Amino acid sequence: MRPASFNRSYPLLTFLALAIQLLSGLTTLRAATGDSQASSSSGEEVRWNPALPREWVAWNVRRKPFRLLGPIHYVGPAGVSSFLITTEAGHILLDTGFAATPPILRENITALGFKLTDIRYILSSHAHVDHVGGHALMKRWTGATVVASQADAALLASGGTNDYSGQELAVMGYPPIVADRVVRDGDTVTLGGVTLTCHLTPGHTRGCTSWTMEVADEGKTRHVLFFGSTTVLPGVRLVGNAQYPEIAEDLTRTYRTLLSLPCDVFLAPHASFFDLASRAERLAGAPGVNPFVDREFPRSFLASAEQRFLEQLARERTAAAK
Ligand SMILES: [Zn+2]
């Protein structure tokens, strides 16, 4: 769906999103026993959506939070990242996991000695169910300003239902949220001496956003890249995609953008993308040498991701020419 037509169909999509939540809520009530669920200690029930793939349950298991580099803390569960960037003037939260993730975020943020009510901004990598599902509840708990790119703001407002990828709506849907601030390429979010710069990296979602910041570490300036994602989801076509005709051009430009950014520290919305578990273990075992500082890794990660993209594009072009 194009953003232009989205405006006209927005009330319908919002209704659809709310109906899906209601339906999945009813299903949850019937199928609650035995399924993985997180409940908030304040009595607010936060349940795992049983329509989500079984293998995603492990992504939402709590893991120990830790200070990653400078003001950047990892506060997410084991598989889907959330980063808390702390300053004297308040904090910035990047990504909120699934709708069932906020109790984990609250526990982790509190365990590190920070207050939820000090969170001033909520940012996102891209507006899919596993990264912004918790936005609505985190907004309620913190009163923070929700920041998103224009296209991801449209996806957020639809509760994940106006995504082009054609995945099942019962899986992709999440509590809708209206962005308070829309950012364009090059815009910044500044708080307490920390500046995050927005880089539009469309393709995985139309509004997929990568963020950069600089961190002073051991007398050096470390360039941190919060990668937004470039994954081409199963079933998504790069050639002749009626829902997203410019997807191949967008991804081509996105790889140029990402590879042009200086990067000493590569962080990503999925823990597996940047070897979170093994690097965290090494960080705890050898203070002083930060294993998240790794200049080679982003180049090789992005080069092999781009290679897979180009191979799929070539295959589809060959098939289309026949
Ligand atoms: Zn995604």
Side-chain angles (χ1 to χ4, degrees), residues 56 125-131 163 172 204-205 208 228-229 231 233 269-270 273:
W56 291 7
S125 56
H126 65 270
H128 275 161
V129 58
D130 43 345
H131 310 293
D163 190 47
M172 297 305 271
H204 183 64
T205 63
C208 183
S229 190
T231 305
L233 289 178
H270 286 277
F273 286 4

Side-chain angles (χ1 to χ4, degrees), residues 114-198:
F114 300 110
K115 283 202 287 206
L116 280 198
T117 48
D118 286 338
I119 296 174
R120 298 279 175 268
Y121 292 103
I122 299 173
L123 275 50
S124 49
S125 56
H126 65 270
H128 275 161
V129 58
D130 43 345
H131 310 293
V132 300
H135 263 43
L137 189 50
M138 289 307 289
K139 164 85 187 179
R140 257 211 327 273
W141 285 353
T142 63
T145 299
V146 173
V147 179
S149 68
Q150 187 158 30
D152 263 9
L155 190 48
L156 284 169
S158 80
T161 60
N162 84 332
D163 190 47
Y164 73 84
S165 68
Q167 312 292 310
E168 224 184 306
L169 290 184
V171 171
M172 297 305 271
Y174 52 79
I177 175 99
V178 174
D180 303 296
R181 185 182 156 200
V182 169
V183 282
R184 290 163 306 181
D185 194 53
D187 281 354
T188 56
V189 173
T190 298
L191 184 69
V194 162
T195 296
L196 279 125
T197 304
C198 158

